[in-house]
Amino acid sequence: MEILMAILIGLLFASAVYLMLSKSLLRIIIGTGLLSHGAHLLLLTMAGLKRGSVPLLGEQAESYADPIPQALILTAIVISFGVTAFFLVLAYRAYQELGTDNIDEMRGSKNND
């Protein structure tokens, strides 16, 4: 299972880098989202894909699942959602003002300085 997760993480990272190197602002935002999802899967895989009982005091189980990586990933998902929402609003506002989402066209020409 770890091999399949490693391949999936590699594909997510590769597609995120490809999208982030493009000139479209929307593709860059999608690329950062994919990169964060790849990092979440990497953290989950590094913590170990194990099955166990819920770590409660009353439970008497043979093995317990570690709740720390899951809590860290949940926090990271919430933060990346907020950052992505901010990026989308910023890109929409830039599109309204400039009429394009191309990074090269947003810079303008040297005559406009």
Side-chain angles (χ1 to χ4, degrees), residues 46-63:
M46 285 176 40
L49 301 173
K50 49 190 159 189
R51 295 186 175 138
S53 180
V54 186
L56 296 175
L57 293 177
E59 295 279 328
Q60 298 297 327
E62 295 176 12
S63 65

Side-chain angles (χ1 to χ4, degrees), residues 25-77:
L25 196 56
L26 189 60
R27 287 183 183 208
I28 293 171
I29 294 170
I30 293 171
T32 57
L34 285 178
L35 187 68
S36 69
H37 288 318
H40 299 155
L41 284 177
L42 180 65
L43 284 173
L44 188 65
T45 305
M46 285 176 40
L49 301 173
K50 49 190 159 189
R51 295 186 175 138
S53 180
V54 186
L56 296 175
L57 293 177
E59 295 279 328
Q60 298 297 327
E62 295 176 12
S63 65
Y64 293 107
D66 189 14
I68 299 296
Q70 296 172 9
L72 288 174
I73 292 169
L74 184 61
T75 305
I77 288 171

